[in-house]
Amino acid sequence: MALLNILHYPDKRLHKIARRVEVFDDRIRKLVADMAETMYAAPGVGLAATQVDVHERVVVIDVSETHSELRVFINPEIIWSSKEHVVHEEGCLSVPGIYDEVERAESVRVRAQNEKGETYEMDCEDLLAVCIQHEMDHLMGRVFVEYLSPLKQTRIRNKMKKLERAM
Ligand code: GNR
Ligand code: NI
């Protein structure tokens, strides 16, 4: 296992669109294991492959407090979204120190594959629903701050560049 480097906004590579996974081999299983280790170490409740500069449709999520419910979503698709929306305070490992409110569907049904390539469906609610939508945005090259006002985005961009220079 290995810790992977997480890209930080406003890195252009965070805007690349991920490809579907076609081959479920040891390479994908190592990627999943390394992403899980990186997520737990950060610590975070989710991680998309885009954030570690791998542009393939792979997401890991664990919203449990005990790091005991790792969920692997490969080639995830939202096949149903609730009409009801909720506003949740979000953060992102690629935008450290920034937290703001984003509105998303309250619950979603997701179809995905596991690391063996088996297809499954899962109903997601609460933080899991927020998180899978946040991660699927990453796979499409979208970072949560892009839902905020242009003024906030400019401020966040400048703050991040300043932080990067200080490191
Ligand atoms: O760790 C994370 N917490 C979080 C909180 C609210 C909404 C979304 C998230 S995901 C984030 C980890 C991350 O950046 N995943 O892409
Ligand atoms: Ni994120």
Side-chain angles (χ1 to χ4, degrees), residues 61-80:
I61 295 180
D62 188 341
V63 294
S64 75
E65 279 169 17
T66 49
H67 293 182
S68 57
E69 292 169 31
L70 179 66
R71 293 184 166 94
V72 177
F73 297 89
I74 300 175
N75 300 326
E77 293 169 69
I78 292 179
I79 56 172
W80 175 84

Side-chain angles (χ1 to χ4, degrees), residues 19-122:
R19 285 173 260 102
R20 282 179 60 81
V21 171
E22 304 291 353
V23 182
F24 293 80
D25 56 4
D26 286 349
R27 184 188 69 90
I28 283 296
R29 285 183 280 277
K30 173 161 170 51
L31 173 63
V32 167
D34 290 347
M35 283 176 60
E37 189 184 6
T38 304
M39 170 183 74
Y40 288 131
V45 296
L47 191 69
T50 306
Q51 292 176 277
V52 294
D53 202 21
V54 174
H55 302 283
E56 301 183 53
R57 295 185 61 81
V58 178
V59 164
V60 292
I61 295 180
D62 188 341
V63 294
S64 75
E65 279 169 17
T66 49
H67 293 182
S68 57
E69 292 169 31
L70 179 66
R71 293 184 166 94
V72 177
F73 297 89
I74 300 175
N75 300 326
E77 293 169 69
I78 292 179
I79 56 172
W80 175 84
S81 302
S82 63
K83 290 195 294 288
E84 298 78 16
H85 281 63
V86 284
V87 173
H88 197 283
E89 173 134 299
E90 297 194 12
C92 181
L93 295 172
S94 294
V95 201
I98 304 294
Y99 303 88
D100 214 325
E101 292 184 335
V102 177
E103 182 185 326
R104 299 188 189 272
E106 182 175 37
S107 40
V108 293
R109 186 166 181 84
V110 177
R111 181 179 294 148
Q113 285 164 282
N114 63 19
E115 60 265 65
K116 294 181 210 159
E118 298 160 347
T119 300
Y120 69 95
E121 292 184 9
M122 184 181 287

